[in-house]
């Protein structure tokens, strides 16, 4: 039997996103039973730093009644003795039922999937892909909006050109026939290839405009992180580009929130460094500061890949 | 509903200490059922080193049938990418049902409690407070003494002036109408403010004397650690003070134990570095070397803060 | 009641190896029930690096329905504050039901066993012993061979002189009346003392020959690691010896596998660095690349030392 991995956001069909959404909603409504994954094990292998992805999956498998083992950094591993990455991954696939991987190399998730006996979910391979983020963002948006995703109007503010998560989400926005308007700070447009794929998937429209011109229209105001610390290595990210971002990325303020519709949400790819001012946090539409449904999201993804009926 | 935190030892009333003691005794007598916390999660966030506090809570939630996620140091966290401490804590409060925190900053626990969606228990914030230590020490004393805590006579040997745990315990000793005699090595008396609070709480008496003069009278001989490595930063702790302690702190020997009453106990705030000589360890009254009821203590505290009926 | 530890491979009798094998086979056939160790805790204390030993035991206790706490390196421990190794071990024996230990000092496991309230299993103490490896290797061999271990013919290729695992296995091979033929690269014979003990235990024969001369005869071709990185400190391992090994250790190739019997297995003490060429991995007789029964092995050992009936 072939093993289903999640190396790229392209690995999931719309039906599969819908199935994940169904499981997510089930857990939100019914809670997460600790009988579902008794004795099951998730390996969280984080060769690059993470707060959210790693802990969210550790949390989810614990809520489901299983447990986790893990790696943070390369210290203490047999890789220090010279073991290859592939051999290390294969060993972890003998230790567990599912692998969540983050690694600085762009091709790491592909290579891991090839040597693993269990599903590998890509939680960030270099600057290229963070495949897990795609269902993650989609389920969160559905949760906070509390209405169907089909045909939504999404405003994006920030640096789509260099943001791996926006690049992964766009084709999915296409699947759901959404309209997208981008304020790229004047300098960081979406790569053409991504635009093309998104439109091929059904994206209703893609426009560029100033945030002020569209903030009152959108269902979701979607912010990228400003800086790319921890994702793009410092030596590969030109200092002048960083300066340009810091100069042109104006944090979201209470004034912005006044223009946002009452039934819209503000959604940010955390960590928030400076992108949203702190006095925005109490706003009910500001989702980054709310009690997040991390357990439910993780449980939907884990049970799906473990083939557990819900 | 307001969340109950344990930021300072002052946050607990005598009734609450008694309730913790009742739960503790229940677990000692009946064992800890792994059905009590199935699917529940404790975050152990240790931004400063710990053996006991961290592992004791990880142990306790495992005995209760739940699990833990955690941080040790700041490495690998999104805080490295610039995320604020408050935002990091809020995320962990989305990952778990309870947070145990140790952090080098004095105000860290207050700040954490303000941004958390779940109870925060302070396991050491800088040199100021180790709120968890208070019920911890109280339950342990009750366990080893096997008699009521009311009106006990406690001898303290060491450096109360700089020991956060003694400073936190004194007002509790007050609640229980205890008598306290201190040998402060001639140099490290209890701060006046603490003495005042303890007396206001009901402390029967507070005297200073030489250890040899009171060792035969006390129910509990309570030792502070000699050095404060890992608690007070090296640059804030004058070298001459350290020398003075090392010169005047005479380790407890078998000779001392001969003078201690048969029904008294020797109690030390571990780790023991040099404060008790090793050949004292087998003495039945030396509690630091016995099989400690860490699971029962942790289970009492966790179930109380999670609102689980016992 | 005396506590049973596993400090040296000599601590186990043949009856005990057989009992471990019986438990292992039970778990292979029936799966591992997460009801067996609910609320039980294993401490994995790895003061020296490990992928396999540490994760295998964390995995096994999770499959059994319990949990783990652990140490990796010395960072963050109270040992940094000056606590002794013995005191640290005693504390962990208060936190858990079983301790798995790896430590760079040769006498660490003996010392740990003396201060622990729970069984200590030695997962590598310096270059001297890796007591856990002995049942581990034996159970794995039985698993892959699928026939009785009595009287097998084992070919060893590599550096027995400096390999702690081979040195521990030889007396066990003796217990099972095996025949052993060694190709020691011409330079690294088994220490005489080990040869003597193995024969006293019942070893049928011990010969030295070239790999090519015996590869077609053996039931098991057993490879040691080439280098000893991570086990023998760099300053204690002469550079010229390392060069000699790298020069004379010829990796196992597909050509070798043609000569191996169809019902034989290739068994390697991982990690594999260069000792087996990668295109050998798909060979069904190459066990190092197969889905390993780590959970079952760990579960057999854990349940035995916890005194849980299977």
């Amino acid at each position: 039997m072939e093993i289903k991995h999640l190396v790229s956001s392209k690995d999931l069909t719309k039906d599969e996103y819908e199935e994940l959404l169904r499981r997510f909603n089930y857990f939100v409504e019914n809670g997460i039973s600790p009988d579902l994954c008794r004795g099951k094990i998730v390996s969280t292998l984080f060769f690059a730093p993470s707060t959210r992805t790693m802990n969210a999956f550790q949390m989810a498998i614990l809520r489901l009644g299983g447990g986790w083992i893990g790696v943070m950094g390369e210290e203490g591993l047999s890789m220090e003795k010279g073991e290859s990455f592939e051999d290390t991954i294969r060993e972890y696939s003998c230790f567990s039922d599912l692998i969540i991987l983050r690694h600085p190399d762009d091709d790491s998730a592909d290579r891991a999937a090839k040597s693993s006996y269990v599903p590998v979910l890509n939680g960030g391979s270099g600057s290229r892909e963070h495949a897990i983020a795609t269902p993650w963002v989609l389920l969160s948006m559905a949760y906070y909006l509390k209405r169907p995703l089909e045909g939504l109007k999404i405003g994006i503010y920030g640096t789509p050109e260099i943001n791996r998560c926006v690049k992964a989400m766009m084709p999915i926005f296409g699947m759901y026939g959404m309209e997208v308007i981008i304020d790229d700070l004047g300098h960081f447009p979406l790569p053409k290839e991504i635009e093309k794929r998104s439109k091929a998937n059904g994206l209703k429209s893609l426009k560029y405009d100033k945030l002020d011109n569209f903030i009152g229209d959108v269902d979701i105001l979607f912010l990228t992180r400003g800086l790319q610390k921890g994702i793009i290595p410092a030596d590969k990210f030109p200092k002048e580009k960083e300066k340009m971002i810091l100069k042109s990325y104006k944090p979201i303020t209470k004034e912005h929130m006044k223009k946002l519709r009452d039934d819209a949400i503000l959604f940010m790819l955390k960590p928030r460094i400076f992108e949203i001012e702190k006095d925005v946090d109490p706003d009910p539409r500001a989702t980054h500061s709310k009690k997040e449904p991390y357990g439910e999201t993780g449980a939907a993804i884990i049970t799906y890949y473990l083939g557990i009926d819900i």
Side-chain angles (χ1 to χ4, degrees), chain A:
Chain A
M1 203 193 66
E2 192 144 334
I3 299 159
K4 189 190 273 293
H5 301 284
L6 178 56
V7 168
S8 156
S9 56
K10 295 179 216 170
D11 293 344
L12 288 168
T13 63
K14 186 169 178 186
D15 278 354
E16 287 179 298
Y17 282 110
E18 288 291 297
E19 170 60 15
L20 289 173
L21 196 49
R22 188 190 66 76
R23 287 173 183 253
F24 174 76
N25 287 329
Y26 174 87
F27 289 127
V28 168
E29 278 160 40
N30 302 284
I32 304 172
S33 162
D35 287 322
L36 286 169
C37 290
R38 292 184 64 214
K40 298 283 184 195
I41 300 165
V42 169
S43 285
T44 53
L45 306 185
F46 283 75
F47 300 95
S50 163
T51 300
R52 263 155 292 277
T53 312
M54 183 178 80
N55 285 293
F57 278 94
Q58 292 177 344
M59 172 203 192
I61 188 66
L62 289 173
R63 289 271 190 252
L64 289 159
W68 59 269
I69 61 174
V71 166
M72 211 162 155
E74 298 199 8
E75 206 191 338
L77 275 186
S78 281
M79 284 169 73
E80 286 187 345
K81 301 180 194 160
E83 189 174 44
S84 74
F85 174 71
E86 280 82 359
D87 281 3
T88 298
I89 293 295
R90 187 170 49 227
E91 291 296 286
Y92 275 98
S93 82
C94 299
F95 294 136
S96 56
D97 305 293
L98 190 71
I99 290 175
I100 316 288
L101 177 73
R102 175 169 297 179
H103 193 282
D105 292 349
D106 280 1
D107 64 349
S108 53
D110 299 272
R111 288 162 59 203
K114 281 191 190 98
S115 53
S116 173
Y117 287 108
V118 302
V120 173
L121 311 192
N122 182 3
S125 49
S127 60
R128 210 176 63 185
E129 263 278 12
H130 185 332
I132 288 172
T134 326
W136 202 273
V137 167
L138 201 76
L139 302 184
S140 299
M141 286 179 167
Y143 175 77
Y144 286 115
L145 268 181
K146 295 181 210 317
R147 56 185 185 270
L149 295 167
E150 212 68 44
L152 291 175
K153 195 169 215 166
I154 299 196
I156 298 177
Y157 181 71
T159 53
E161 182 187 1
I162 55 169
N163 188 282
R164 65 186 175 191
C165 181
V166 167
K167 288 186 275 186
M169 286 311 297
M170 283 298 302
I172 320 306
F173 293 160
M175 285 179 181
Y176 282 87
M178 298 185 185
E179 299 176 56
V180 172
I181 318 177
I182 297 176
D183 180 340
D184 69 348
L185 313 179
H187 300 289
F188 304 95
L190 206 62
K192 281 293 161 198
E193 192 271 326
I194 302 287
E195 180 173 342
K196 213 171 124 187
R197 268 182 56 213
S198 310
K199 286 185 172 164
N201 275 8
L203 197 75
K204 206 165 149 191
S205 66
L206 175 63
K207 286 186 288 190
Y208 286 82
D209 202 343
K210 287 278 157 208
L211 175 60
D212 275 344
N213 294 335
F214 63 73
I215 190 168
D217 292 333
V218 297
D219 295 290
I220 299 173
L221 177 55
F222 187 68
L223 307 182
T224 72
R225 291 170 57 194
L227 301 176
Q228 294 299 303
K229 260 190 186 170
I231 297 179
I232 302 178
D235 57 327
K236 288 193 189 161
F237 196 65
K239 272 281 166 210
E240 58 269 33
K241 225 170 192 177
E242 193 173 311
K243 271 187 199 156
M244 195 191 291
I245 295 173
L246 283 173
K247 205 181 134 195
S248 43
Y249 198 126
K250 305 291 176 207
I252 299 300
T253 65
K254 285 170 93 168
E255 289 311 304
H256 286 108
M257 297 306 281
K258 281 183 193 159
K259 298 177 200 153
L260 202 64
R261 277 170 23 208
D262 281 352
D263 67 344
I265 59 168
L266 174 66
F267 192 96
M268 144 131 223
L269 298 167
K270 300 189 239 185
R272 173 260 305 269
I273 315 298
F274 65 86
E275 298 85 349
I276 304 174
E277 295 201 341
K278 291 207 171 155
D279 58 6
V280 170
D281 292 5
D283 191 300
R285 298 164 298 170
T287 65
H288 69 283
S289 55
K290 298 303 172 284
K291 193 159 192 345
E292 300 262 22
Y294 289 144
E296 291 77 5
T297 313
I301 296 173
I302 291 172
T303 57
Y304 180 68
Y305 280 93
L306 292 186
I308 292 168
D309 290 335
I310 299 294

